[in-house]
Amino acid sequence: MYYQTTFQGNELPAQSNISCLSYTSNANFSFPLHCHSYYELAYVIHGSRNETFNGIPYDITDGSLFFIPPFIVHSNRNYTEVTDLNVQFSQSFLQANGPSLPSILSLPTKEGMVPYIKIKQNSKTEQLLLSLASICQKQQQCRENSQPIPLSLEWQQRSLLLSLLSQLVEDQVLTFQPEETDFSQLQQLDTVINYILSHPDEKLDMKTAAHMSGISYYHFSRLFQSVTGFSYTQYCNILRIRHAESLLLTTSMSVAWISNAIGIESTSYFTRLFKQITGMAPLSYRNQYKH
């Protein structure tokens, strides 16, 4: 994945069940549209940026914390220099530390609510986030110096993350939602979903996608529906429309050009599909959200 290969030296939650990094990025830095099978905590320590979450852009500043469940499409673009903390962890991490865990974590949102929270200064939650950022920075220094990460740092990292999640649940920021999905196979879908996001103009049929995941065609179809709540074709359309949303906000290209860029030759069909998924026409979306 782009995040791990670019920033984390290929540290994958699939291998360690948790990865984190606290880093500073320049103004105008942007992170491409992506999604993954891991949970993600994205916390802005200093600075301001635009965070696009499931197609909706949000302007956020110091102290904003996004909780991103598996397979939510997101991206960001800095307005200023930003120092942030990014933590990814797997369902396996939660289950290993709570064998009776019956469900998945989620950030409860009602219609009209934003999918992030503002952390109060000097609160226990802020202290835990900053302590976790400090541990992540020490780990990054070890990687940069080609040194092994001390076991004590790994234990501190896990302890702090569990304390943070516990605090967020106690504060009712995060809740548990029943889920029947077999999370042990979620990571097998990462390759397919990120391929679609990276090649929005290609039509990857489900037979090829199943082969790419190393799963039988029948099992792939059932797993995909169970994990995402959509059929493979429906989800492919959603991913392409998410890419179109990004192009509408970051370029001045015409609707016809954007339609072709995501592999849809008919502009009228693209407009209908865009409106079906987002609830508005492409140009209305651009006019409402583009700065």
Side-chain angles (χ1 to χ4, degrees), residues 77-92:
R77 175 169 46 89
N78 291 355
Y79 293 134
T80 67
E81 182 178 87
V82 174
T83 298
D84 62 358
L85 169 67
N86 189 290
V87 183
Q88 295 178 338
F89 58 96
S90 66
Q91 182 73 7
S92 297

Side-chain angles (χ1 to χ4, degrees), residues 130-158:
L130 295 180
S131 295
L132 187 54
S134 177
I135 294 297
C136 294
Q137 289 167 352
K138 291 177 181 178
Q139 291 180 325
Q140 182 65 12
Q141 289 171 2
C142 290
R143 296 189 196 98
E144 291 172 351
N145 295 325
S146 300
Q147 297 175 346
I149 297 175
L151 183 59
S152 59
L153 284 183
E154 293 186 8
W155 283 348
Q156 288 177 59
Q157 178 194 60
R158 283 162 170 70

Side-chain angles (χ1 to χ4, degrees), residues 215-264:
I215 306 174
S216 71
Y217 180 88
Y218 175 72
H219 184 56
F220 178 88
S221 176
R222 293 188 62 187
L223 178 65
F224 205 96
Q225 178 83 36
S226 173
V227 166
T228 67
F230 300 95
S231 71
Y232 176 72
T233 298
Q234 289 173 323
Y235 198 75
C236 285
N237 284 335
I238 291 171
L239 292 184
R240 290 190 171 91
I241 293 303
R242 295 292 178 250
H243 189 75
E245 290 166 341
S246 179
L247 292 173
L248 284 164
L249 298 183
T250 59
T251 75
S252 57
M253 295 300 181
S254 68
V255 170
W257 186 93
I258 292 174
S259 176
N260 279 314
I262 64 168
I264 299 178

Side-chain angles (χ1 to χ4, degrees), residues 78-132:
N78 291 355
Y79 293 134
T80 67
E81 182 178 87
V82 174
T83 298
D84 62 358
L85 169 67
N86 189 290
V87 183
Q88 295 178 338
F89 58 96
S90 66
Q91 182 73 7
S92 297
F93 171 79
L94 295 178
Q95 291 174 325
N97 291 281
S100 61
L101 183 73
S103 53
I104 62 171
L105 276 175
S106 68
L107 182 69
T109 55
K110 299 178 182 178
E111 187 175 353
M113 290 176 62
V114 295
Y116 65 93
I117 59 170
K118 292 285 287 185
I119 303 300
K120 294 180 180 179
Q121 288 187 340
N122 302 316
S123 64
K124 186 174 180 180
T125 302
E126 184 191 49
Q127 292 170 8
L128 287 167
L129 284 163
L130 295 180
S131 295
L132 187 54

